[in-house]
Amino acid sequence: MKLNEIILAATEEDLAGCDADSILARAKQMPARRKLAGWKKALIIAAAACLFVGTASAAVLLSGFGTAFERPVDTGHVEVLDESPDNEEVIWKFTETWYDKNIIFLGGTVTTPEPLDPAGEYMASCGIKVPGDEIYSDFLNVYIYAVGERESAFLMYGNLLRQKSDFMTQAKNEDGAVTLELTVYEFHDHRFTPKDRPYTSDDIEVLFPGPWIYTVQLESNDEKNIRLDGRYESMWPDRSSAVVTSVRLTAFSLEIIGEDLTYLWNPETGKREILHVWLKMKDGTLLFKPRGIFANKDSDIHYRECTDASIICLFSDPIDPTEVESVILYEGWGTTPTNPAAEEFYTKNGIVFYPSPDEIGRTETWLPLIEIPLN
């Protein structure tokens, strides 16, 4: 299972509550992590070998971020202020972080009493809250990447869009750093959960019981983000009255603020249709376009909030915002049978069209409604 599929599955349902039991119950139902590419698995195994002989470079190679993401991302800074483990045989080391108000990642290494099987699908769960709060504000899903040694890389991920109270702002200190209390719960191997039927906590084989409680101070140092304010109106008001007033783009998320953003009216079908987003890259490709001309599949996009006032999207893999030329809101992407007589209609109605590179005899079309240049 790919990381983007894990992220999508992890954010499809909100928790019924934020107590420890519901956090743990939800985590136990999560799908297994994705399988690593062969070269990346070899890299991690090499890192584990370096650890065995005490080479200092191993700490760099054995990375949750480096394991899970297809391209580098700023690792931020993590300082552990306090720790209270119930099980001292398992040691969590937090070395990486990236976050904004919509999404958070934590990475590092975990050391276990015995080596973990590289074929395992190891997972845990982590409740997070502002220190001093009585209940957990959210949860992180924890994926452990075993290499057959006692030390393994891990990645913790959480979608913060459930928190309408702006949880990350509450956790922020005066100096801009974020302080969180993390409670990591029991450690299990997802391979041994039933695949042919629903399962309960009784079906879970706990490998290492917890919890492990840490108070951490985080600083996300990624300066590659773009903020743009202005007014950009629909080029085709008969199709959509959408207006964009603000764009915020980071390595993992896109936030668009405006008016009438969620739907447009399609006079041909008499239906309202959702607006979609592509990022036009400086090389001319369209990021998140999965196929066809100009397709760029380096990352997938998941629409986490769509209202008349905002569209918030999360990305499966980090991007470089400085390589983005513009944000495009569009509708109606697809192919139709090639018909030269229809080209005049396309041109008159603002529809972009190209011969399909994938299907002989078909023309690829879409209607760009708003394009917001970021440079």
Side-chain angles (χ1 to χ4, degrees), residues 1-11 30-37 40 64-71 73 103 105 141-145 154-158 252 298-300 302 314-318:
M1 175 169 284
K2 295 181 179 179
L3 178 65
N4 65 292
E5 294 171 339
I6 292 173
I7 290 175
L8 181 60
T11 54
M30 291 305 303
R33 61 161 171 83
R34 67 175 177 131
K35 298 298 182 184
L36 300 179
K40 192 169 290 184
F65 282 19
T67 305
F69 302 139
E70 297 297 332
R71 59 188 58 79
V73 63
I103 190 172
F105 295 95
N141 297 290
V142 186
Y143 307 96
I144 297 98
Y145 302 93
F154 72 81
L155 178 73
M156 297 182 176
Y157 161 80
F252 282 100
D298 284 348
S299 187
D300 294 324
H302 307 302
L314 305 181
F315 312 147
S316 63
D317 265 302

Side-chain angles (χ1 to χ4, degrees), residues 55-66:
T55 303
S57 63
V60 177
L61 292 174
L62 203 59
S63 156
F65 282 19

Side-chain angles (χ1 to χ4, degrees), residues 189 192-194 197-206:
D189 188 340
F192 304 124
T193 58
R197 61 175 175 81
Y199 59 89
T200 67
S201 58
D202 293 335
D203 296 312
I204 302 295
E205 179 181 343
V206 176

Side-chain angles (χ1 to χ4, degrees), residues 270-340:
K271 297 179 180 179
R272 304 180 78 190
E273 299 178 356
I274 191 170
L275 291 175
H276 293 280
V277 178
W278 285 330
L279 298 182
K280 184 178 180 181
M281 309 302 288
K282 290 181 179 178
D283 64 4
T285 61
L286 298 172
L287 188 62
F288 313 131
K289 191 171 187 287
R291 62 183 184 278
I293 196 163
F294 311 131
N296 185 330
K297 298 177 282 187
D298 284 348
S299 187
D300 294 324
I301 188 170
H302 307 302
Y303 296 87
R304 301 310 308 161
E305 179 175 290
C306 293
T307 69
D308 286 338
S310 66
I311 298 174
I312 300 178
C313 308
L314 305 181
F315 312 147
S316 63
D317 265 302
I319 70 166
D320 183 349
T322 63
E323 291 300 314
V324 180
E325 181 176 303
S326 62
V327 177
I328 297 176
L329 297 179
Y330 72 95
E331 65 110 338
W333 170 59
T335 64
T336 60
T338 299
N339 180 2

Side-chain angles (χ1 to χ4, degrees), residues 166-302:
D166 202 352
F167 165 67
M168 291 299 282
T169 298
Q170 296 175 26
K172 192 169 290 187
N173 308 330
E174 291 183 2
D175 60 1
V178 168
T179 301
L180 298 176
E181 182 178 305
L182 312 175
T183 301
V184 186
Y185 293 96
E186 56 195 38
F187 198 131
H188 66 278
D189 188 340
H190 196 75
R191 285 180 302 174
F192 304 124
T193 58
K195 302 296 189 293
D196 57 348
R197 61 175 175 81
Y199 59 89
T200 67
S201 58
D202 293 335
D203 296 312
I204 302 295
E205 179 181 343
V206 176
L207 299 179
F208 307 109
W212 302 267
I213 302 175
Y214 298 88
T215 301
V216 296
Q217 182 170 284
L218 312 177
E219 293 182 73
S220 187
N221 302 321
D222 191 354
E223 297 181 355
K224 289 184 178 181
N225 56 73
I226 295 174
R227 296 173 184 266
L228 178 68
D229 296 315
R231 186 174 179 86
Y232 300 87
E233 299 182 356
S234 171
M235 295 182 290
W236 299 94
D238 59 323
R239 304 280 295 194
S240 171
S241 57
V243 175
V244 172
T245 57
S246 175
V247 172
R248 180 179 180 274
L249 178 65
T250 74
F252 282 100
S253 67
L254 171 66
E255 184 176 87
I256 300 172
I257 305 298
E259 307 161 11
D260 297 323
L261 291 177
T262 309
Y263 293 97
L264 57 91
W265 177 257
N266 186 334
E268 297 175 7
T269 63
K271 297 179 180 179
R272 304 180 78 190
E273 299 178 356
I274 191 170
L275 291 175
H276 293 280
V277 178
W278 285 330
L279 298 182
K280 184 178 180 181
M281 309 302 288
K282 290 181 179 178
D283 64 4
T285 61
L286 298 172
L287 188 62
F288 313 131
K289 191 171 187 287
R291 62 183 184 278
I293 196 163
F294 311 131
N296 185 330
K297 298 177 282 187
D298 284 348
S299 187
D300 294 324
I301 188 170
H302 307 302

